[in-house]
Amino acid sequence: MVKLLIGHKGTGKTKQMIDLANDQIENSKGSVIFINKNSRLMYDLKYRIRVICMEDFEHITNSDEYIGFIYGIISSDHDIETVYIDSILKHADFSLGDLPEFLQRLDAISKNYGMNFVVSLSAEMEEMIGVDFSGYELLN
């Protein structure tokens, strides 16, 4: 399942994601991955959560490459329960127009591999033209 946290900058999405990830790892039998633009959150997350800093992968420049990157993460760890992606629009030159296809692809990965994604988006629902929110769980 793909879960979304939506709202403009400063609405507490990142804090909510950190709390969700930290709570989940306490009872998790599998891996929890947290993808962030930079490493500033590394010490806010519990040590068992794998933190991936996208600044270390500056050659990932579009949604296709990002999906390939996610497949690479999956191929190296078959026990992933949840991947948290904080502020996806700040990664890899994403635009609002890329979201419908990207979210559909995440949903397909989720179903194929039995894992969840929690994605935060710094925008309002009205701005995300073409996204059918009925297939996603909204966390806020």
Side-chain angles (χ1 to χ4, degrees), residues 19-130:
D19 291 343
L20 287 170
N22 283 336
D23 290 345
Q24 180 182 357
I25 200 66
E26 292 301 317
N27 302 312
S28 179
K29 291 181 174 55
S31 301
V32 175
I33 312 292
F34 198 102
I35 303 174
N36 192 37
K37 182 174 167 71
N38 53 43
S39 61
R40 71 179 173 87
L41 301 177
M42 189 172 299
Y43 300 108
D44 295 330
L45 293 161
K46 294 188 176 174
Y47 74 95
R48 289 183 43 220
I49 298 171
R50 180 175 173 201
V51 179
I52 298 174
C53 173
M54 289 309 295
E55 284 180 346
D56 296 337
F57 303 96
E58 71 270 0
H59 298 295
I60 296 174
T61 59
N62 60 47
S63 64
D64 287 335
E65 292 172 353
Y66 202 93
I67 291 292
F69 181 71
I70 290 173
Y71 275 115
I73 294 168
I74 294 168
S75 72
S76 69
D77 184 347
H78 297 284
D79 294 325
I80 298 172
E81 286 186 16
T82 305
V83 176
Y84 291 86
I85 304 174
D86 186 33
S87 298
I88 188 62
L89 295 174
K90 294 180 182 176
H91 303 199
D93 297 329
F94 269 85
S95 70
L96 288 171
D98 298 323
L99 284 178
E101 181 185 357
F102 179 74
L103 293 174
Q104 289 170 357
R105 291 172 81 181
L106 284 185
D107 192 46
I109 292 169
S110 173
K111 290 174 182 165
N112 275 347
Y113 294 95
M115 58 194 308
N116 294 310
F117 288 92
V118 178
V119 181
S120 72
L121 301 157
S122 292
E124 294 297 331
M125 289 177 69
E126 298 78 27
E127 296 176 85
M128 292 181 251
I129 297 168

